[in-house]
Amino acid sequence: MSSSLSAKDALVPKGDAPQAAGGGGRSKAAGRKRMRRRIWSVVPIATFLAIVGLWALIVAVLDIPNYLLPSPWAVFEQIVTGWPVLWENAQTTIAEILLGFGISIVIAIPLGLLVARSLAARQIIYPPVMLVQLVPKVAVAPLFVVWLGLGFSSKLLLTVLMTFFPLLVSSISGFSILDSRFLYLTRSMGASGWQTFRFLRFPAALPVIFSGLKTSATLAATAAIVAEFVGSNSGLGYVLLQATNTLDSTTVFAVLVLLTLLGVILNYVVELIEFLLTPWQRAKLT
């Protein structure tokens, strides 16, 4: 009996049973991790639905008049019935947001690299940029209308000014954050300046740059609406101002919902691009 048992034991490689148990444990842990990710992915949607439900409940229980606080169903109905007008004006606002945000990206990130890498640029360029940033944008917005009129250009200029500085600061910080020891290592390995920038400096700066992009994306929608408040003949800000003047609270809330959706979509687009461009960061998100 003992000889037969020892023969069987000899046929089974040592450690297989613990490995099988460990593999099963790892698969269960991975399954629980996936389940937690799915649950947490549903939480934002559940939170939004809870807010809408609480909004509807407050309006119904307190019997709030429609001109003070319309119900979410009335706001949704207004979006559907007034969609042609809302969409026509939304196209102007979307163009202001995207073009102004895009111009800021094209200018601020290369300028941030220049300021981070050049002492002369830091001393010559950064102080005037800081001075422009300290000037209240809402105060100078009427001047843009005087100089450029009620058209698209004045709104675009204000959007660029409001989104430019946060992205510039994050770009300067991102390109300055790299440890000099890594640079010594790449030089000792014979890497060129372009290779060092492409494979080391730029990837290291991306997380900080994307934090500035998210801030600027939020400010882009605010800047476009503020510019349309100051003076415009189209755009969601113009519709919002007209509805406020006529005490049309339902239209006001409909425009606010659309503006919120625009901001959320733009922010998620930035996060998606960050997810694709920074694969080393994905482990932190899971």
Side-chain angles (χ1 to χ4, degrees):
M1 180 67 68
S2 60
S3 61
S4 62
L5 288 175
S6 61
K8 290 181 180 179
D9 292 340
L11 293 174
V12 179
K14 294 181 179 180
D16 274 11
Q19 286 180 3
R26 285 193 296 269
S27 63
K28 289 180 180 179
R32 288 194 296 267
K33 194 173 183 180
R34 285 194 297 269
M35 181 60 67
R36 284 197 298 267
R37 285 202 302 266
R38 290 170 185 168
I39 292 174
W40 281 113
S41 65
V42 175
V43 168
I45 300 175
T47 303
F48 172 75
L49 294 177
I51 293 173
V52 173
L54 181 62
W55 175 10
L57 182 63
I58 291 174
V59 172
V61 171
L62 300 181
D63 195 21
I64 301 177
N66 195 54
Y67 65 89
L68 289 179
L69 181 62
S71 68
W73 326 124
V75 173
F76 179 75
E77 181 181 358
Q78 178 64 26
I79 293 175
V80 173
T81 56
W83 180 251
V85 176
L86 291 174
W87 174 242
E88 180 181 357
N89 288 275
Q91 292 179 57
T92 302
T93 303
I94 292 172
E96 294 166 359
I97 292 172
L98 294 182
L99 189 55
F101 187 43
I103 292 174
S104 294
I105 292 174
V106 171
I107 298 176
I109 295 178
L111 189 61
L113 175 62
L114 178 63
V115 172
R117 299 289 296 142
S118 171
L119 179 61
R122 181 180 289 271
Q123 297 298 324
I124 296 172
I125 298 176
Y126 192 72
V129 172
M130 175 65 74
L131 182 64
V132 172
Q133 173 63 22
L134 293 176
V135 177
K137 305 302 181 297
V138 178
V140 299
L143 289 176
F144 298 158
V145 176
V146 173
W147 294 338
L148 303 174
L150 296 175
F152 185 81
S153 300
S154 59
K155 285 75 178 174
L156 179 63
L157 179 58
L158 185 61
T159 304
V160 171
L161 286 180
M162 289 189 69
T163 56
F164 174 79
F165 191 75
L167 185 53
L168 175 64
V169 171
S170 65
S171 300
I172 295 173
S173 301
F175 288 122
S176 304
I177 202 172
L178 187 63
D179 193 331
S180 59
R181 289 175 294 182
F182 290 107
L183 297 175
Y184 295 146
L185 179 61
T186 56
R187 288 171 190 159
S188 66
M189 297 175 66
S192 64
W194 166 247
Q195 289 173 328
T196 301
F197 174 79
R198 179 183 176 186
F199 296 108
L200 186 61
R201 188 179 296 277
F202 186 64
L206 279 178
V208 183
I209 292 175
F210 272 106
S211 66
L213 282 171
K214 293 172 187 176
T215 303
S216 296
T218 304
L219 291 174
T222 304
I225 297 304
V226 169
E228 291 172 356
F229 276 170
V230 173
S232 65
N233 49 20
S234 63
L236 289 177
Y238 172 76
V239 175
L240 185 61
L241 192 61
Q242 294 296 107
T244 303
N245 292 335
T246 58
L247 300 179
D248 187 0
S249 299
T250 306
T251 302
V252 170
F253 274 87
V255 173
L256 291 177
V257 169
L258 291 179
L259 289 173
T260 302
L261 288 176
L262 284 177
V264 169
I265 291 171
L266 186 57
N267 192 268
Y268 271 111
V269 169
V270 173
E271 288 190 352
L272 176 61
I273 297 173
E274 180 183 14
F275 182 82
L276 296 175
L277 293 182
T278 58
W280 60 92
Q281 293 284 102
R282 296 173 191 173
K284 300 178 182 180
L285 302 176
T286 58

